[in-house]
Amino acid sequence: MCSAARHGRPPLDGFAWKGAVLRKPSTDRAKSMQPLPTEQTQARRFGKARSARSTAVLEDYVELISDLLGTTGEARPTDIARRLGVSHPTAIDTIARLKREDLVTARPYRGVFLTEKGETLAKRVRTRHRLVVDVLLALGVPQEAAEGDAEGIEHHVSDVTLKAFAEFLRANKDRRKA
């Protein structure tokens, strides 16, 4: 006996009971949906996103530390916390993580300094950020929105996509000259 009949409801072809509400499958949604990728492909994509999220925080800190060192000559945990909008203990914990990753050194009462590895990462992150911002601006996104959106996109974009972004900007620049 079908579920509908067990509950005193007549079975209807093409419809499904959802709790107390009869739902018709959405054909529009089914038509617009892409087929699911293979399990391995989907797992790889989700794994890449998880990895990007875990490194995004480190990249943001390293980029900010580089900016602070370049503009004010020092990067104090208090300034880092304020500029990233996190608590002082959170900044201290993340700076400890950066030390373990050999991205920064920190001396008591002296602030935080980038290692060579940290400086290399900061340059890479800054370059990626500028490229994403430039593409968004070329697409007509306002400056403030482009800067804010780039903060999220820059951590998730692949090298292949960055290369395509650079090519897009070159082609766009060439079209404007012609």
Side-chain angles (χ1 to χ4, degrees), residues 1-32:
M1 175 182 278
C2 76
S3 172
R6 267 197 310 259
H7 296 286
R9 297 183 292 246
L12 299 170
D13 290 338
F15 287 83
W17 287 97
K18 178 88 174 167
V21 180
L22 183 63
R23 306 253 180 199
K24 181 177 181 182
S26 171
T27 56
D28 290 340
R29 187 172 68 174
K31 287 178 187 175
S32 68

Side-chain angles (χ1 to χ4, degrees), residues 49-60:
R50 278 191 307 278
S51 175
R53 281 192 299 274
S54 74
T55 61
V57 171
L58 299 181
E59 290 176 348
D60 285 342

Side-chain angles (χ1 to χ4, degrees), residues 21 30 33 43 54 59 109 118-119 121 124 127-128 132 134 144:
V21 180
M33 289 181 62
S54 74
E59 290 176 348
Y109 312 106
E119 192 61 52
L121 178 60
R124 194 171 84 235
T127 300
R128 225 174 33 209
V132 172
D134 290 348
E144 188 60 31

Side-chain angles (χ1 to χ4, degrees), residues 61 64 76-88 91:
Y61 272 74
L64 176 60
R76 298 177 311 153
T78 302
D79 297 329
I80 294 167
R82 265 192 256 141
R83 289 190 173 270
L84 289 173
V86 300
S87 70
H88 189 267

Side-chain angles (χ1 to χ4, degrees), residues 52-75:
R53 281 192 299 274
S54 74
T55 61
V57 171
L58 299 181
E59 290 176 348
D60 285 342
Y61 272 74
V62 167
E63 184 179 19
L64 176 60
I65 291 166
S66 176
D67 291 344
L68 287 170
L69 291 170
T71 57
T72 67
E74 65 180 348

Side-chain angles (χ1 to χ4, degrees), residues 91-154:
I92 294 296
D93 288 347
T94 305
I95 290 167
R97 186 174 163 207
L98 291 168
K99 284 186 200 176
R100 287 191 303 273
E101 300 281 337
D102 191 34
L103 296 169
V104 301
T105 61
R107 299 182 205 133
Y109 312 106
R110 289 263 352 259
V112 181
F113 300 90
L114 294 173
T115 64
E116 191 175 317
K117 183 178 172 184
E119 192 61 52
T120 300
L121 178 60
K123 286 176 186 170
R124 194 171 84 235
V125 171
R126 188 175 296 107
T127 300
R128 225 174 33 209
H129 179 88
R130 287 287 12 123
L131 184 56
V132 172
V133 168
D134 290 348
V135 167
L136 294 174
L137 291 173
L139 293 172
V141 176
Q143 180 77 38
E144 188 60 31
E147 290 287 348
D149 291 346
E151 285 300 332
I153 295 169
E154 71 187 29

